[in-house]
Amino acid sequence: MRVRRISTVLGSTAALALALTACGTAEVGGEGGEGGGEGNGGGDTITIGVKYDQPGLGLDEGGTPVGFDVDVATYVAGELGYSPDQIEWTEAASANRESFLQQGTVDLIFATYSITDERRQVVDFAGPYYIAQQDILTQADNTDINGPDDLAGKTLCSASGSRSANNIVDSEEEGGLGVDAQLREAGNYSECLELLGNGTVDAVTTDNTILAGFAAQNPGQYRVV
């Protein structure tokens, strides 16, 4: 049944996890020195990539990121022997998470990073530490969209590097729902939110935790479907 198929695809979990390079164990830390805690920190600092635009998860507030991903990252860094003042934070958008790890720009990534088989070919995951599901965000006064099938003929925003929108538009043979929606790609989900706010797109879809954060930050403007 169609309803069962929707439940299977959108009900599948997005397991948020930390990621590191897939080539063996990542060497964390800068040159020389020991880590700041009781663990085995490999240097003076550790560089961690997080999102800077997602309320409740990873949000830049006055030059310092805050949120659940940031809290988990700080805890893990502490277990590795690094105190909070030894963490160097870097903004990691969805599109550059793998490249940042491969190039050594960061040591670890905590950035609403869903575990997929495709990504496992490039990076190693530890976790998951949070299980999310996928929802849809629309303007509060939009009564036309109440589920995935209602996105047919609508414009759906996708953040570059994210696979969430593909779960909607890809064919069933490709693992999606096969909904005939038009994709509009943006640099990140905060850009998607701007496009949704000015009516350029009809909806945004991704992890419910991300969408709930945006809705809470803009009370009365958006609704989570």
Side-chain angles (χ1 to χ4, degrees):
M1 294 178 61
R2 180 69 170 174
V3 172
R4 184 176 181 83
R5 178 63 182 160
I6 291 173
S7 175
T8 301
V9 175
L10 290 193
S12 62
T13 57
L16 307 187
L18 73 90
L20 57 157
T21 54
C23 302
T25 303
E27 290 197 15
V28 296
E31 297 180 358
E34 293 294 333
E38 296 180 357
N40 297 312
D44 294 330
T45 61
I46 184 171
T47 304
I48 300 177
V50 295
K51 297 287 182 66
Y52 275 22
D53 68 330
Q54 294 181 355
L57 295 164
L59 183 67
D60 183 10
E61 290 191 353
T64 301
V66 297
F68 184 66
D69 280 346
V70 178
D71 291 343
V72 175
T74 301
Y75 172 80
V76 173
E79 292 297 298
L80 292 173
Y82 294 91
S83 60
D85 61 2
Q86 290 179 295
I87 300 174
E88 294 183 354
W89 301 105
T90 297
E91 182 178 11
S94 296
N96 58 28
R97 289 173 298 195
E98 284 88 2
S99 61
F100 272 15
L101 288 166
Q102 291 174 311
Q103 296 165 6
T105 304
V106 299
D107 298 307
L108 302 171
I109 292 278
F110 295 75
T112 53
Y113 207 172
S114 300
I115 299 172
T116 67
D117 290 338
E118 182 181 7
R119 290 168 176 168
R120 285 184 189 275
Q121 305 304 311
V122 183
V123 299
D124 286 334
F125 288 100
Y129 59 82
Y130 191 90
I131 305 297
Q133 295 193 12
Q134 184 173 342
D135 282 332
I136 299 165
L137 189 74
T138 69
Q139 292 196 31
D141 59 358
N142 184 319
T143 59
D144 295 333
I145 299 174
N146 295 289
D149 282 337
D150 297 331
L151 294 171
K154 307 293 187 181
T155 303
L156 182 63
C157 192
S158 171
S160 178
S162 172
R163 294 286 302 170
S164 295
N166 295 89
N167 292 335
I168 303 289
V169 302
D170 283 357
S171 67
E172 294 192 9
E173 290 75 16
E174 296 172 313
L177 293 176
V179 176
D180 186 20
Q182 180 180 350
L183 287 188
R184 170 69 181 267
E185 188 169 282
N188 53 42
Y189 280 111
S190 59
E191 290 183 19
C192 280
L193 198 71
E194 292 179 14
L195 295 174
L196 179 62
N198 63 31
T200 302
V201 301
D202 299 298
V204 181
T205 185
T206 187
D207 300 351
N208 56 7
T209 50
I210 298 173
L211 300 181
F214 285 136
Q217 191 181 44
N218 302 274
Q221 187 172 354
Y222 303 106
R223 69 186 181 98
V224 178
V225 177

